Amino acid sequence: EHQLSTDRKRNERKKLPSCSRMSRVLTFGKRSSIRSIVVMLHGLNDSASCCAKGVARKWAKGLQDSLVVVPQSPDQSIWSDSKDPGYDWLRQRGTQ
């Protein structure tokens, strides 16, 4: 019965886009003995690599003993295409 309950919870989580795994996570700076973590979230129809470009390395260097993390949403936006993929943290229900 416990296994059935665990399986049911796992299946329920799969249905919710907010419980999906990150499709990509970029990291900059220290990875051990860190004093702080900075999380940069990309904008609508953006990606982790575009968000981090020109900023994340500078922040990691300027914020000593810090780890800068740039996750990417697992859900592509409705405007995304193969040439310029974009992602959306707040998936638009009924459009994807």
Side-chain angles (χ1 to χ4, degrees):
E1 186 174 314
H2 174 65
Q3 182 63 34
L4 181 61
S5 174
T6 303
D7 289 342
R8 187 177 307 128
K9 287 179 184 177
R10 187 178 301 125
N11 288 335
E12 287 173 3
R13 272 188 257 140
K14 287 181 182 178
K15 294 176 187 176
L16 299 174
S18 61
C19 293
S20 300
R21 293 186 175 178
M22 304 285 170
S23 59
R24 183 178 190 183
V25 179
L26 304 177
T27 58
F28 303 86
K30 290 189 79 171
R31 299 212 174 113
S32 63
S33 302
I34 60 175
R35 293 178 60 202
S36 61
I37 297 175
V38 177
V39 179
M40 295 176 60
L41 298 176
H42 63 74
L44 176 61
N45 201 38
D46 201 359
S47 65
S49 59
C50 287
C51 177
K53 196 179 294 179
V55 178
R57 288 190 204 291
K58 290 178 184 177
W59 284 12
K61 185 177 179 181
L63 300 168
Q64 295 180 352
D65 299 329
S66 293
L67 171 65
V68 177
V69 179
V70 189
Q72 182 169 286
S73 168
D75 298 317
Q76 285 195 329
S77 74
I78 60 173
W79 303 282
S80 181
D81 61 36
S82 59
K83 290 181 183 177
D84 185 24
Y87 299 85
D88 187 357
W89 287 109
L90 302 172
R91 183 174 171 192
Q92 304 299 310
R93 299 233 181 244
T95 59
Q96 295 179 338

